[in-house]
Amino acid sequence: MKKSIAALIIMVPCTIFAGEPQRLAGRFGIALGAPTGLTGDLQIDRSNRGFADLGVISDALALNAGWEHHFPPVFEPKDHRLGMVSLLGLGVHAHLTDKSQVGIGPVLAEELYFKDRPFFVFVRLFPYLRMFPSSGFNVNATLGLTFGF
């Protein structure tokens, strides 16, 4: 039984990324905006990925994390060395201070990538409803530069 579980743990990630270009496995980089800090994502399959932004908002540690689904781009760049992807998903925001905040909302993003290089530039808009400790509405916007691996 233990060998079967170990085999599944090894085989599932291998089958998820089988046939995918290596640079689609994940990305890591910097984020400017809300929050300013580090960003990363992990490709789940050809159309879905998870993301996390960890950084600072108003001198407090903050985390945006969630799921994004790839859609055809809103428009195609004229330069054929570039590509675009539109993303829509769901995210969670946590403001980690003595006055912690937690919220949930949709995630909208546009990503520009270089077809022959593993660099990506994105803009992510994250309007969310604060649910804890009080209710309210906020919007986070992030500009990021990532390197694919």
Side-chain angles (χ1 to χ4, degrees), residues 71-87:
F71 289 94
V74 173
F75 65 92
E76 289 286 337
K78 290 183 181 181
D79 188 341
H80 294 289
R81 295 172 296 173
L82 301 174
M84 280 194 97
V85 175
S86 298
L87 303 139

Side-chain angles (χ1 to χ4, degrees), residues 4-39:
S4 298
I5 293 172
L8 278 174
I9 291 171
I10 293 169
M11 288 174 40
V12 168
C14 292
T15 58
I16 289 172
F17 297 114
E20 297 271 335
Q22 185 63 26
R23 72 182 197 166
L24 290 181
R27 298 182 190 130
F28 184 75
I30 58 170
L32 301 172
T36 296
L38 301 176
T39 185

Side-chain angles (χ1 to χ4, degrees), residues 61-73:
L61 189 61
L63 172 71
N64 290 341
W67 155 82
E68 294 174 320
H69 181 77
H70 299 212
F71 289 94

Side-chain angles (χ1 to χ4, degrees), residues 116-129:
D116 58 346
R117 303 275 188 259
F119 295 103
F120 303 82
V121 177
F122 69 85
V123 175
R124 184 179 294 134
L125 187 62
F126 183 19
Y128 65 92
L129 293 173

Side-chain angles (χ1 to χ4, degrees), residues 33-35 51 53 56-58 60-66 89-97 99-108 124-142:
F51 74 91
D53 302 332
V56 177
I57 298 176
S58 304
L61 189 61
L63 172 71
N64 290 341
L90 186 64
V92 175
H93 169 79
H95 206 105
L96 310 169
T97 63
K99 298 177 182 177
S100 295
Q101 296 178 5
V102 176
I104 189 168
V107 177
L108 309 145
R124 184 179 294 134
L125 187 62
F126 183 19
Y128 65 92
L129 293 173
R130 265 189 341 269
M131 298 182 294
F132 174 81
S134 62
S135 61
F137 180 77
N138 287 66
V139 177
N140 286 351
T142 306

